[in-house]
C-alpha cells in the first residue's frame, strides 16, 4: 500500500482522485497560536451548570484527502462555518425511540461525528493536571478508525490539547469540586449527501469549566428506569466507540425515564435483559456473588460497552488492592433481582469522567421499584473509589496517572 494514501492503493500508482502525498499527522511543533484579545469573565465555580460556559479559545485542525492534515491553530472561540451538506450534519444523530431491530439497519448514521471527554484539574498545590489522557487518545483513535474518519498521531494531539489548556489555564477552576472539561471532536465536513468515507474533516477542541454533572449534586444517589424495549447499542454496532449517534438515540428513552420519575436509564440488552450501562456511564455492582464471594463486577468489553477511562481506573485500583474478586462478566436483571431478594447486594454505582462515580439507590423494572442498598452500606466502596481518584486528580496523591500541564 502506498504510504499516506487514504484510497488504499497498492504499488503501481494511486487509483484515487489524487496522487499527492498526504501529511499523515499534524505536529504540535507547528501549532500557531493567535489567542483572544478580549476575555470573558470567569464564572463562580459553585454555580456552574455542566457544558454551558466555554473558554475564550479553541483548537482547530483541518484535514482533506488531497493534502492530509493542516497545521493546528489555537484561536478565539468562534462558530463553525459548515456547508449545509456537510456529512456530520446528516449522518450522526439517529432517529429517536428506535428499537434494536430498527437500529441495525441504521448503523451508518453513527458515522462522521465522534468526540472525547476528559478534564483538567487544578490541584491543591496549584498545579494543573490531566488524568490518564493517553487512554482518551487511544479511544478517540479507535473511534476514528471505526467511523472512517482520518487517523492522527495521538501524542501530537495530546500535546496540542496540553498547549490549549496552558493558554486557558486561568479557566481551570480554583476548586477541588470543579474542573475544566475538555471536548475533542472530530467531524466529517465533506459537502456531499453521499454515505461514504469523507474526503474532508475537522478536528477541534473546546473547553468548558464544570461543576457536578448531576443537578442533585456530585454524590447523591440516582434512580434508574430499566425497560428492554430500548437499547443503547448492539453487537456489531458502535457501542464501544464514542460517536454522536450513540448519544442522540438515547434521548428519547431518557425523556421517558424522567416521565416515570427516574433520573437515568439502565440500559438492558438481549432476551435475558443483560445490564450494560447506566445513562452515559459504565456500571459496577459490588455484591456477594452466586458462589458466596465478595465481588466487584462490571459488564465485559464485548463491543456494546464503552471502554471508559474511569471504568479502567476502578478495575486497576480494585485489582491492585486485592481485597475482593474483580470480574468483567455478564449480569442480568434476574441475577440482580435474585441478589436483592437474598440481601446479597452491597453497592451499585455508575462511573464516568463527568461524574467520577455516582451511587444508585432505586431501579424501576417491570413496574416494580427495586431498592438498592448502596447508601445503607456507606457507600463504603463507592466513596473509597471517589476519594482515591479525586486525590490523584487534585494532586493530593502522587501518581503516574496524572499528567502535568503546568
Amino acid at each position: 500500500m502506498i504510504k499516506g494514501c487514504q484510497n488504499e492503493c497498492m504499488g503501481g500508482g494511486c487509483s484515487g482522485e489524487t496522487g499527492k502525498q498526504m501529511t499523515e499527522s499534524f505536529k504540535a511543533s507547528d501549532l500557531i497560536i493567535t489567542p483572544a484579545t478580549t476575555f470573558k469573565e470567569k464564572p463562580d465555580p459553585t454555580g456552574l451548570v455542566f457544558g454551558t460556559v466555554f473558554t475564550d479559545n479553541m483548537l482547530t485542525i483541518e484535514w482533506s484527502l488531497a493534502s492530509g492534515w493542516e497545521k493546528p491553530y489555537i484561536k478565539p472561540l468562534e462558530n463553525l462555518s459548515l456547508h449545509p451538506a456537510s456529512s456530520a450534519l446528516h449522518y450522526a444523530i439517529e432517529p429517536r425511540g428506535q428499537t434494536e431491530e430498527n437500529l441495525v439497519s441504521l448503523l451508518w448514521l453513527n458515522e462522521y461525528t465522534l468526540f472525547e471527554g476528559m478534564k483538567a484539574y487544578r490541584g491543591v498545590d496549584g498545579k494543573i493536571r490531566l488524568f490518564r489522557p493517553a487512554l482518551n487518545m487511544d479511544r478517540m483513535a479507535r473511534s476514528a478508525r471505526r467511523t472512517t474518519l482520518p487517523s492522527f498521531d495521538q501524542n501530537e494531539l495530546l500535546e496540542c490539547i496540553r498547549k490549549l489548556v496552558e493558554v486557558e489555564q486561568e479557566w481551570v477552576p480554583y476548586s477541588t469540586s470543579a474542573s475544566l472539561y475538555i471536548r475533542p471532536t472530530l467531524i466529517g465536513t465533506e459537502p456531499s449527501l453521499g454515505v461514504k468515507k469523507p474526503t474532508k474533516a475537522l478536528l477541534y477542541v473546546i473547553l468548558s469549566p464544570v461543576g457536578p454533572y448531576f443537578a442533585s449534586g456530585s454524590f447523591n444517589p440516582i434512580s434508574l428506569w430499566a425497560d428492554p424495549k430500548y437499547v443503547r447499542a448492539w453487537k456489531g454496532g458502535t457501542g464501544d466507540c464514542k460517536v454522536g449517534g450513540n448519544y442522540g438515540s438515547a434521548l428519547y428513552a431518557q425523556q421517558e425515564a424522567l416521565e416515570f420519575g427516574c433520573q437515568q436509564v439502565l440500559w438492558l440488552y438481549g432476551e435475558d435483559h443483560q445490564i450494560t450501562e447506566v445513562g452515559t456511564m459504565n456500571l459496577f455492582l459490588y455484591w456477594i456473588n452466586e458462589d458466596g464471594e465478595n465481588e466487584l463486577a462490571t459488564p465485559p468489553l464485548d463491543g456494546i460497552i464503552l471502554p471508559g477511562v474511569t471504568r479502567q481506573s476502578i478495575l486497576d485500583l480494585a485489582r491492585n488492592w486485592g481485597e475482593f474478586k474483580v470480574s468483567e462478566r455478564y449480569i442480568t436483571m434476574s441475577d440482580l433481582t435474585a441478589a436483592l431478594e437474598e440481601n446479597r447486594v452491597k453497592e451499585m454505582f455508575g462511573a464516568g469522567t463527568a461524574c467520577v462515580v455516582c451511587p444508585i439507590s432505586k431501579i424501576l423494572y417491570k413496574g416494580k421499584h427495586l431498592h438498592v442498598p448502596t447508601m445503607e452500606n456507606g457507600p463504603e466502596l463507592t466513596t473509597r473509589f471517589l476519594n482515591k481518584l479525586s486525590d490523584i486528580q487534585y494532586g493530593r496523591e502522587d501518581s503516574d496517572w496524572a499528567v502535568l500541564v503546568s
Side-chain angles (χ1 to χ4, degrees):
M1 184 181 296
I2 296 176
K3 187 175 182 181
C5 178
Q6 290 278 309
N7 295 317
E8 302 181 357
C9 305
M10 305 306 291
C14 180
S15 60
E17 296 179 1
T18 178
K20 183 179 178 181
Q21 186 77 2
M22 294 200 319
T23 302
E24 289 189 312
S25 184
F26 48 85
K27 302 290 184 182
S29 58
D30 293 332
L31 185 62
I32 299 171
I33 303 177
T34 55
T37 55
T38 58
F39 307 101
K40 292 176 284 191
E41 184 179 352
K42 309 298 186 296
D44 181 347
T46 62
L48 291 169
V49 177
F50 188 89
T52 59
V53 177
F54 299 94
T55 67
D56 297 308
N57 296 284
M58 67 189 299
L59 169 71
T60 64
I61 317 168
E62 295 187 7
W63 175 90
S64 70
L65 179 60
S67 57
W69 288 103
E70 305 293 339
K71 291 182 179 180
Y73 283 83
I74 290 176
K75 60 184 182 180
L77 182 74
E78 62 183 9
N79 293 336
L80 300 180
S81 178
L82 297 175
H83 190 283
S86 293
S87 46
L89 302 178
H90 296 267
Y91 305 124
I93 303 300
E94 297 159 343
R96 297 181 177 184
Q98 295 296 323
T99 61
E100 179 182 357
E101 291 77 10
N102 292 333
L103 283 170
V104 171
S105 64
L106 296 172
L107 172 61
W108 48 269
L109 287 172
N110 268 330
E111 293 190 358
Y112 310 133
T113 302
L114 64 91
F115 65 94
E116 267 302 321
M118 47 199 293
K119 288 180 176 179
Y121 307 84
R122 188 177 298 277
V124 294
D125 55 0
K127 296 179 181 179
I128 298 172
R129 295 170 173 84
L130 304 177
F131 181 74
R132 307 190 80 174
L135 295 182
N136 293 97
M137 298 297 97
D138 288 343
R139 187 171 62 187
M140 189 170 184
R142 290 196 304 271
S143 297
R145 286 194 297 271
R146 182 64 177 84
T147 54
T148 72
L149 285 164
S151 60
F152 54 87
D153 187 296
Q154 298 166 41
N155 291 327
E156 297 293 340
L157 176 56
L158 181 54
E159 179 60 17
C160 287
I161 291 173
R162 193 193 69 79
K163 288 285 189 181
L164 177 62
V165 174
E166 194 174 62
V167 168
E168 300 286 61
Q169 59 185 290
E170 285 304 308
W171 280 92
V172 183
Y174 286 80
S175 168
T176 54
S177 60
S179 56
L180 185 67
Y181 186 77
I182 304 169
R183 172 56 65 89
T185 307
L186 179 56
I187 62 174
T189 57
E190 178 177 355
S192 169
L193 297 179
V195 183
K196 60 180 181 178
K197 186 175 181 177
T199 61
K200 291 186 177 182
L202 174 65
L203 194 163
Y204 64 92
V205 182
I206 54 178
L207 309 176
S208 174
V210 297
Y213 183 71
F214 295 109
S216 58
S218 60
F219 205 62
N220 291 328
I222 59 171
S223 57
L224 309 180
W225 178 66
D227 193 312
K229 68 180 178 179
Y230 300 127
V231 293
R232 189 197 77 89
W234 61 97
K235 295 292 179 65
T238 55
D240 58 347
C241 299
K242 208 165 178 67
V243 294
N246 290 349
Y247 296 81
S249 63
L251 297 177
Y252 190 89
Q254 172 63 26
Q255 186 60 41
E256 196 160 337
L258 294 173
E259 292 172 359
F260 279 101
C262 300
Q263 292 161 287
Q264 291 289 320
V265 177
L266 178 58
W267 296 103
L268 307 179
Y269 180 79
E271 295 298 321
D272 55 352
H273 299 178
Q274 295 170 22
I275 296 171
T276 62
E277 295 192 7
V278 48
T280 59
M281 299 178 285
N282 292 119
L283 181 135
F284 284 86
L285 175 65
Y286 184 47
W287 66 341
I288 300 172
N289 67 17
E290 302 90 339
D291 299 321
E293 305 166 299
N294 286 337
E295 178 183 51
L296 179 68
T298 191
L301 300 180
D302 61 355
I304 65 173
I305 302 296
L306 186 72
V309 175
T310 307
R311 174 189 183 276
Q312 187 60 53
S313 301
I314 287 171
L315 290 173
D316 291 342
L317 287 173
R319 286 168 176 154
N320 184 59
W321 293 339
E323 300 171 11
F324 43 79
K325 185 175 183 178
V326 181
S327 302
E328 297 175 72
R329 53 163 287 184
Y330 293 107
I331 306 166
T332 66
M333 282 302 298
S334 61
D335 294 332
L336 178 60
T337 52
L340 287 171
E341 290 171 358
E342 297 165 10
N343 296 316
R344 291 190 286 112
V345 174
K346 297 184 176 184
E347 300 176 38
M348 191 173 184
F349 59 93
T353 297
C355 68
V356 188
V357 293
C358 182
I360 296 164
S361 59
K362 297 177 183 177
I363 301 172
L364 176 58
Y365 175 64
K366 291 185 175 179
K368 295 182 179 179
H369 291 272
L370 306 177
H371 177 69
V372 183
T374 302
M375 304 309 288
E376 288 89 330
N377 287 304
E380 182 179 340
L381 187 61
T382 310
T383 303
R384 185 178 177 187
F385 282 127
L386 176 64
N387 291 340
K388 182 72 171 180
L389 293 172
S390 296
D391 285 348
I392 294 171
Q393 291 163 346
Y394 289 100
R396 290 184 288 261
E397 179 178 326
D398 290 333
S399 172
D400 57 7
W401 287 358
V403 176
L404 284 176
V405 172
S406 63

